[in-house]
Amino acid sequence: MNPANYLITALIVLASWLPVNAVSPEYSGYLFVYFTGNDKPDEAIRFAVSDNSLNFKALNNNDPVIASDTISETGGVRDPHILRAVDGKWFYMVATDMVSALGWDSNRGLTLLKSPDLIHWTASPINIQQRFEGNDDLLRVWAPQTIFDSRAGKYMVYWSMKHGDGPDIIYYAYANDDFTDFITEPKPLFLPADGQSCIDGDIVCVNGTYHLFYKTEGHGNGIKKASTRNLTAMEWVESPDYKQQTDKAVEGSGIFKINDSDSYMLMYDVYMNGEYQFTTSSDLDHFRIADTQVTMNFHPRHGTIIPITSAELHRLTSTWP
């Protein structure tokens, strides 16, 4: 084989080893997915967009982009989380299937959604109590999120559940290839060393380390972080300090990478004050307030943000001006 052909063959083999998302699309904006409050009309999925991570504008006049009663058992959804698939062909969204007016211990399920274009969505509600045995004393299922587990080669959905008098615990299960159901039973993902409740987990993977941001519940009520190299090994290293930059009650943390930057944005719902705080960090340990730079023409509750391309931004604004 001549040197030129050998080089071409080597490059082809190398390309076959690379992950499917090795070459990321060029991102030029952001999509913010959120809900707005505890009244039933507010418990629905809404979209907002930004071209700079700081100035967000609601789409569709801040009205829902998906009707809650078409995607849930209860007629309401909260805490939406969105993820771009590693193959770039799908978007996955999960949400709490819940109407808060029925009580904070009233819901038993969550909803899985998928879309090829961010516009058209199909939904699969899952009632955990009915789907899996051993959950007779299940009281609530809150704040699901999704991440791709590279070790398992599957999408992991994780959320918090409370059984009887026990604490809220973050569990996980793997989704099927169609993202319509779970193929494994829920198992604990993270148990803090103090044995207390934890909810609203959000995981970001940086250089092979998974960083879990979560809310302590009933004993400090703040955002803490735990890290691991293996999602399912139960080998988490907990950071002792709280990450929020306010002394007010917070929940619903979400973290995302800022486009064309090595920095990350950590945001959270200052829910008792009707506020949302944004902070930035370059090391995921030390955060500084970015509130003076952020503008929104809406009042979000617990949500998430992903980067989007210029074509996706145009498609969204053309569909929901």
Side-chain angles (χ1 to χ4, degrees):
M1 181 182 294
N2 66 51
N5 289 339
Y6 181 83
L7 177 60
I8 292 172
T9 301
L11 290 173
I12 292 174
V13 172
L14 177 61
S16 70
W17 291 344
L18 294 175
V20 292
N21 62 335
V23 179
S24 298
E26 183 175 344
Y27 297 126
S28 59
Y30 303 84
L31 171 63
F32 191 171
V33 180
Y34 61 96
F35 77 110
T36 56
N38 295 336
D39 292 332
K40 189 173 181 179
D42 299 328
E43 294 173 321
I45 294 171
R46 290 165 165 83
F47 285 175
V49 292
S50 169
D51 60 6
N52 61 10
S53 82
L54 296 173
N55 309 113
F56 287 89
K57 292 185 178 181
L59 298 180
N60 200 36
N61 295 316
N62 199 32
D63 288 330
V65 297
I66 307 172
S68 292
D69 58 359
T70 66
I71 60 174
S72 67
E73 287 187 347
T74 64
V77 294
R78 301 166 61 90
D79 320 312
H81 175 270
I82 190 169
L83 177 75
R84 183 190 299 270
V86 293
D87 63 6
K89 297 179 180 179
W90 292 95
F91 295 89
Y92 299 131
M93 190 155 52
V94 288
T96 306
D97 189 340
M98 179 179 182
V99 172
S100 61
L102 300 177
W104 297 112
D105 291 337
S106 65
N107 83 305
R108 305 292 185 267
L110 49 83
T111 293
L112 308 182
L113 302 100
K114 66 177 183 178
S115 170
D117 57 9
L118 294 172
I119 309 300
H120 305 92
W121 294 87
T122 57
S124 303
I126 299 177
N127 185 310
I128 299 297
Q129 192 171 58
Q130 297 175 1
R131 177 70 175 78
F132 298 101
E133 296 181 356
N135 287 284
D136 293 342
D137 61 344
L138 178 61
L139 295 182
R140 58 195 186 207
V141 177
W142 283 359
Q145 305 223 27
T146 309
I147 189 170
F148 183 72
D149 183 350
S150 57
R151 286 176 180 259
K154 300 181 184 301
Y155 288 93
M156 170 191 288
V157 180
Y158 56 99
W159 67 94
S160 64
M161 292 196 295
K162 178 179 173 63
H163 292 81
D165 295 329
D168 294 271
I169 294 173
I170 297 178
Y171 289 78
Y172 77 93
Y174 289 111
N176 61 12
D177 292 341
D178 292 330
F179 205 74
T180 57
D181 196 4
F182 294 139
I183 58 174
T184 62
E185 293 192 5
K187 296 180 179 179
L189 177 69
F190 169 68
L191 299 171
D194 61 12
Q196 300 295 315
S197 292
C198 55
I199 64 172
D200 295 353
D202 187 30
I203 300 173
V204 60
C205 185
V206 181
N207 297 326
T209 296
Y210 297 93
H211 302 275
L212 166 67
F213 291 83
Y214 62 96
K215 178 195 174 186
T216 59
E217 179 76 352
H219 57 106
N221 289 16
I223 307 300
K224 285 194 170 184
K225 189 190 83 164
S227 303
T228 186
R229 299 284 293 184
N230 186 338
L231 276 173
T232 59
M234 297 291 283
E235 297 172 349
W236 296 89
V237 177
E238 300 178 42
S239 299
D241 58 319
Y242 285 100
K243 301 304 182 182
Q244 76 273 13
Q245 301 300 303
T246 176
D247 58 1
K248 300 172 184 176
V250 299
E251 65 182 14
S253 63
I255 190 159
F256 63 96
K257 188 176 184 297
I258 300 174
N259 294 339
D260 301 319
S261 168
D262 292 328
S263 295
Y264 288 79
M265 187 85 79
L266 174 67
M267 61 182 191
Y268 36 81
D269 185 357
V270 190
Y271 60 98
M272 296 186 69
N273 294 76
E275 301 170 0
Y276 223 85
Q277 185 164 79
F278 288 74
T279 64
T280 59
S281 173
S282 59
D283 61 8
L284 297 181
D285 279 316
H286 305 89
F287 294 85
R288 59 183 179 84
I289 296 175
D291 287 2
T292 57
Q293 304 170 341
V294 176
T295 63
M296 295 181 287
N297 65 347
F298 56 99
H299 297 285
R301 295 292 310 279
H302 186 173
T304 51
I305 291 175
I306 61 168
I308 54 177
T309 65
S310 59
E312 291 162 351
L313 178 61
H314 177 72
R315 187 188 309 140
L316 287 162
T317 55
S318 297
T319 304
W320 296 295

